[in-house]
Amino acid sequence: MNDSSIIYTHTDEAPALATASFLPIVKAYANAAHVNIETRDISLAGRILAVFPDRLSADQQVGDALKELGELAKTPEANIIKLPNISASIPQLKAAIAELQSQGFNVPDYPDELVTDEDKDVRARYDKIKGSAVNPVLREGNSDRRAPLSVKAYARKHPHVNKPFAAGSKTRVATMGHDDFFSNEKSVVLPADDTLTIRHIAADGSETVLKSGLKVLQSEIVDATFMSASALDAFLAETLEQAKKDDVLYSVHLKATMMKVSDPIMFGHVVKAFFADVFDKHGAAIEAAGLTPNDGLGSILAGLSDVVGGDQIAADFNAALAEGPRLSYTNSDKGITNLHVPSDVIVDASMPALVRNGGKLWGVDGGEDDTLAVIPDSSYAGVYQATIEDVIANGPLDPATIGTVPNVGLMAQAAEEYGSHDKTFEIASAGRVEVVNAAGEVLISHNVGKGDIWRATQTKDVPVRDWVKLAVTRARASNTPAIFWLDEKRAHDAQVIKKVKTYLADYDTTGLTIEIMAPAEATKYSLARIRKGEDTISVTGNVLRDYNTDLFPILEVGTSAKMLSIVPLLNGGGLFETGAGGSAPKHVQQLLEENFLRWDSLGEFFALAASFEHFAQTTGNAQAQVLADTLDRATGTFLEEDRSPARKVGGIDNRGSHFYLGLYWAQELAKQTDDAALAATFAPVAEALSAGEETIVSELIAVQGKPANIGGYYRPNVELVNAVMRPSATLNKVIDSL
């Protein structure tokens, strides 16, 4: 790898398809400015192949690109553009495995049961891949996310519609409020470097080590908590009864991708609660068939064809669907309910969509209705309830007039809940779980019951210091109030509050408004300001970083894909993220059905400009700064001319957006006066693209309306993808000539 390269990640689904169209333009323009662009494959399929080299032939083996980038992220030279990737749930992981096997790769099945040592080895390798495997490795810094000025200006000029809640709306959030992760949390700060052990002591005194050799650093925060399985089941039974009584849609909102151990278990509890009678009657047969509610109703129904009496079990599931509370649907046309796939309903995307849609989700017939939004853990549920109450009381937010809520997020070195996966356990029997230091002292202890979900998390001190610094820096740069969303009633937050107060004293905060508020109160405060056209920085932990950078952008500008997301890495490098990927699967389905990709690459344009600017600053390449400045201006024109993808066949799609961005960028490069050589290089490019506009657009639109073949979903065929995503011979000739 060149020491002065920008690394472009190859990921999955719609972002990866879009890369096939956009990256040739980027490489051609960057090459003219002596900026080297390299790619690294961190797709789900690529990561699966990387962990099984011993099972593949020499020509099938791939390097561990994620590990390589993880090391790069710790260096000052890092300049990584990170596109959205699949945070795989188990059903997605199994689907990717099956596809790779069908393509001739000898990767093993995912073992549901651990019987042999080989099973344990295979599961351990796959456990490194599922869920949020990528982000904790690359995010060696904290997060600075905001809507660029050009995006806010466009949203104000062309506002989307946030619907009002109907009078008497029954929509609300239901959360446990007791016996959950929030209420059971305990937290300690380590006085010195140490090595911890997590152990389970059963009621009969037998001891099982759940995790050993857990390295911790001086001043690191270590938390532990659990959700009571019995309390969860009681809560779910109560909410199901309430939803039926209120005649509203029942919808659960979890994050079974990022919280890859705890949330699939919770999802399974919801499936079992909704279909309690079916599991009472057929649970043994379902389990014997290797089917689990944790993978969702869809996985069970798909597996019943191989089960004796499967038709009757399926009929009983369908009868329960008709008799129970009305479920929300993610795709009513295809009969896919809220409980079909754990990765279909991601709380940070689904809850803002509910708010934007006037508190309504979609039922079995595609019609909209009020909804009981079930978020079991109460740590952050209040944020959404506060938002719902605000919109009911004050009406929908008007994108034409409202302010903005950017975010500074604590996420470096797998801070907080997203670093809990290797320390999350479904408890096998009643007893207690203890966190013990090297001296044998018990730091944290919980009495637990069978089936409880227990987890520990870590937050190192250096990321917290950097987070506070970044918050003050952003508040000063934009002269904007900064609110730390921390609840002194939560054990972890209480420890963080002490650190924040200590580290704030290191900075001159004269004239700045910097406050600490519990999340629900911070939500109300920020919404009150946003309605007055005022901006407020939300300074949050790792999970709220995810939630807020969907919630506010979706209400402000209609999507979270248009955010500028910069991660100043702790050692001086830069990670530039390109937007959210929650709708990526639907976009791929549309491409396959009608050769139309609606994916919006706008976030990629912003990330690329920031990456070029960072490259210029760290390498002294002045032409890279010219690329950054001209790309910014081109993106402004792109927005003003409304060149984002149309929603339906017949208009320009993602590929057409890339053409227009390339045209406007070439025009800006041709007329800029900072670098005569670049201007001379791009003058004929701009002329050729402008002259060929009508032909290029017609070539791009001509392929629409019929199925596209890309040779796979998780590992599509490169040649087929390139043919589908670069269908304009006229455009290709101009770009390739560079």
Side-chain angles (χ1 to χ4, degrees):
M1 183 179 65
N2 191 314
D3 285 343
S4 55
S5 296
I6 292 174
I7 305 299
Y8 223 92
T9 55
H10 172 79
T11 57
D12 308 277
E13 297 178 322
L17 294 172
T19 296
S21 166
F22 186 48
L23 192 56
I25 298 173
V26 175
K27 282 188 169 182
Y29 285 38
N31 185 59
H34 308 289
V35 177
N36 189 52
I37 307 276
E38 299 183 21
T39 57
R40 292 293 183 277
D41 182 358
I42 58 170
S43 66
L44 176 58
R47 288 181 281 127
I48 291 172
L49 296 178
V51 297
F52 290 105
D54 50 318
R55 294 172 176 260
L56 304 175
S57 62
D59 63 320
Q60 291 179 326
Q61 293 175 1
V62 300
D64 191 339
L66 180 59
K67 182 178 179 181
E68 177 192 351
L69 292 187
E71 292 304 313
L72 177 64
K74 298 174 184 177
T75 69
E77 296 77 32
N79 190 325
I80 303 168
I81 294 178
K82 193 266 178 185
L83 282 77
N85 63 279
I86 291 175
S87 294
S89 62
I90 291 178
Q92 288 174 304
L93 183 59
K94 289 179 176 177
I97 292 166
E99 181 175 305
L100 288 170
Q101 290 170 340
S102 73
Q103 294 174 348
F105 294 95
N106 184 34
V107 293
D109 290 335
Y110 180 88
D112 291 308
E113 302 295 330
L114 301 182
V115 179
T116 67
D117 287 342
E118 182 182 10
D119 292 337
K120 294 173 183 176
D121 171 60
V122 169
R123 172 77 76 84
R125 297 198 213 186
Y126 279 132
D127 282 349
K128 294 177 181 177
I129 298 167
K130 70 184 182 187
S132 57
V134 171
N135 292 336
V137 174
L138 297 186
R139 288 173 171 168
E140 281 289 323
N142 292 311
S143 169
D144 176 7
R145 286 187 177 181
R146 56 190 184 272
L149 293 176
S150 56
V151 170
K152 281 295 287 183
Y154 179 82
R156 286 177 171 140
K157 192 172 182 179
H158 308 278
H160 67 274
V161 175
N162 290 322
K163 295 181 182 178
F165 280 59
S169 172
K170 299 177 184 177
T171 293
R172 66 178 177 88
V173 173
T175 192
M176 291 174 69
H178 60 84
D179 296 306
D180 59 1
F181 292 128
F182 177 92
S183 56
N184 288 325
E185 191 170 63
K186 297 179 181 180
S187 185
V188 295
V189 176
L190 276 297
D193 293 3
D194 210 332
T195 302
L196 308 183
T197 299
I198 301 172
R199 66 191 183 195
H200 173 255
I201 300 173
D204 63 5
S206 59
E207 180 179 318
T208 303
V209 173
L210 300 176
K211 187 173 185 65
S212 60
L214 181 58
K215 303 285 188 184
V216 290
L217 302 176
Q218 182 181 359
S219 299
E220 186 166 348
I221 301 171
V222 174
D223 313 306
T225 187
F226 72 97
M227 175 172 283
S228 163
S230 59
L232 173 61
D233 290 340
F235 163 75
L236 294 173
E238 177 187 320
T239 53
L240 285 163
E241 184 178 335
Q242 191 64 51
K244 190 157 190 174
K245 180 181 176 182
D246 292 346
D247 191 26
V248 294
L249 299 178
Y250 190 87
S251 188
V252 66
H253 300 263
L254 294 165
K255 191 148 189 178
T257 49
M258 293 293 276
M259 299 307 300
K260 63 185 179 184
V261 181
S262 59
D263 284 31
I265 297 172
M266 292 159 63
F267 189 85
H269 276 265
V270 184
V271 174
K272 288 188 73 172
F274 193 96
F275 299 101
D277 291 344
V278 181
F279 280 93
D280 285 344
K281 184 177 178 182
H282 301 295
I286 292 170
E287 185 177 356
L291 304 174
T292 170
N294 295 12
D295 291 350
L297 175 62
S299 177
I300 293 175
L301 293 175
L304 289 177
S305 58
D306 299 326
V307 178
V308 175
D311 289 346
Q312 182 58 52
I313 299 174
D316 287 349
F317 271 115
N318 288 323
L321 266 178
E323 294 167 9
R326 293 184 297 130
L327 264 181
S328 71
Y329 276 65
T330 61
N331 190 330
S332 57
D333 291 342
K334 296 185 178 179
I336 300 175
T337 72
N338 173 269
L339 299 182
H340 262 65
V341 186
S343 56
D344 266 3
V345 183
I346 305 300
V347 58
D348 39 338
S350 59
M351 285 303 299
L354 179 147
V355 174
R356 180 181 167 179
N357 199 45
K360 297 181 184 294
L361 291 180
W362 295 268
V364 62
D365 59 354
E368 300 176 353
D369 212 337
D370 291 348
T371 303
L372 183 65
V374 177
I375 305 175
D377 181 47
S378 57
S379 295
Y380 311 112
V383 169
Y384 297 115
Q385 182 60 30
T387 305
I388 288 170
E389 290 172 1
D390 178 88
V391 176
I392 288 174
N394 302 304
L397 294 167
D398 181 359
T401 61
I402 58 175
T404 187
V405 182
N407 180 262
V408 172
L410 172 64
M411 68 176 190
Q413 299 177 349
E416 302 185 327
E417 293 99 325
Y418 287 166
S420 69
H421 316 310
D422 61 339
K423 301 176 287 293
T424 301
F425 308 96
E426 190 171 20
I427 302 303
S429 66
R432 68 181 184 275
V433 178
E434 297 176 340
V435 180
V436 185
N437 67 11
E441 299 166 326
V442 177
L443 303 181
I444 298 174
S445 178
H446 287 111
N447 293 323
V448 293
K450 181 178 180 180
D452 289 354
I453 308 166
W454 186 98
R455 75 179 184 210
T457 65
Q458 300 166 257
T459 307
K460 293 177 173 58
D461 188 62
V462 168
V464 177
R465 287 176 182 263
D466 181 78
W467 177 56
V468 173
K469 175 185 175 183
L470 185 58
V472 174
T473 301
R474 290 299 308 145
R476 177 71 69 192
S478 57
N479 193 28
T480 305
I483 307 300
F484 284 85
W485 292 41
L486 297 167
D487 189 344
E488 62 183 6
K489 296 177 182 176
R490 181 180 174 186
H492 166 78
D493 284 9
Q495 301 286 16
V496 178
I497 288 171
K498 293 176 187 175
K499 288 180 178 286
V500 168
K501 289 180 175 178
T502 298
Y503 301 146
L504 277 174
D506 295 339
Y507 302 97
D508 176 14
T509 57
T510 306
L512 299 180
T513 299
I514 297 180
E515 298 185 44
I516 297 170
M517 297 182 188
E521 294 307 310
T523 305
K524 296 173 186 176
Y525 176 86
S526 302
L527 287 169
R529 286 180 53 83
I530 204 176
R531 287 182 179 279
K532 293 186 286 186
E534 298 172 342
D535 304 339
T536 314
I537 299 170
S538 68
V539 189
T540 69
N542 207 347
V543 173
L544 273 177
R545 170 194 58 80
D546 252 1
Y547 291 9
N548 281 9
T549 56
D550 271 311
L551 175 60
F552 291 105
I554 286 172
L555 298 178
E556 288 177 33
V557 301
T559 175
S560 58
K562 296 180 179 180
M563 293 289 279
L564 175 61
S565 182
I566 298 174
V567 182
L569 299 173
L570 295 176
N571 290 326
L575 176 69
F576 306 92
E577 300 189 270
T578 68
S583 59
K586 293 181 180 179
H587 291 326
V588 179
Q589 292 163 13
Q590 186 177 13
L591 177 88
L592 296 177
E593 291 170 2
E594 50 190 23
N595 203 344
F596 187 90
L597 186 65
R598 210 170 78 215
W599 178 258
D600 193 337
S601 294
L602 186 62
E604 209 164 330
F605 306 160
F606 291 125
L608 182 60
S611 172
F612 282 137
E613 183 168 25
H614 184 77
F615 189 91
Q617 292 168 352
T618 55
T619 67
N621 182 334
Q623 289 188 320
Q625 187 63 55
V626 174
L627 288 181
D629 294 340
T630 52
L631 178 53
D632 265 338
R633 294 197 292 272
T635 303
T637 305
F638 176 93
L639 283 166
E640 189 60 36
E641 296 294 329
D642 197 14
R643 299 302 188 183
S644 289
R647 299 185 68 82
K648 297 179 180 178
V649 167
I652 63 163
D653 71 350
N654 177 265
R655 296 164 289 194
S657 286
H658 295 157
F659 157 64
Y660 277 109
L661 190 280
L663 168 62
Y664 301 146
W665 194 5
Q667 289 173 337
E668 291 292 342
L669 281 161
K671 68 185 182 185
Q672 55 80 29
T673 57
D674 293 325
D675 191 292
L678 282 178
T681 297
F682 281 93
V685 176
E687 185 177 342
L689 291 177
S690 181
E693 177 181 359
E694 185 176 335
T695 301
I696 292 168
V697 170
S698 66
E699 288 173 345
L700 293 173
I701 291 178
V703 299
Q704 297 176 10
K706 43 191 175 290
N709 176 24
I710 58 174
Y713 186 93
Y714 295 96
R715 190 178 180 274
N717 179 280
V718 174
E719 288 75 21
L720 291 176
V721 169
N722 286 338
V724 168
M725 295 307 300
R726 300 190 72 198
S728 169
T730 307
L731 173 61
N732 296 346
K733 182 179 179 181
V734 177
I735 297 304
D736 295 345
S737 70
L738 271 168

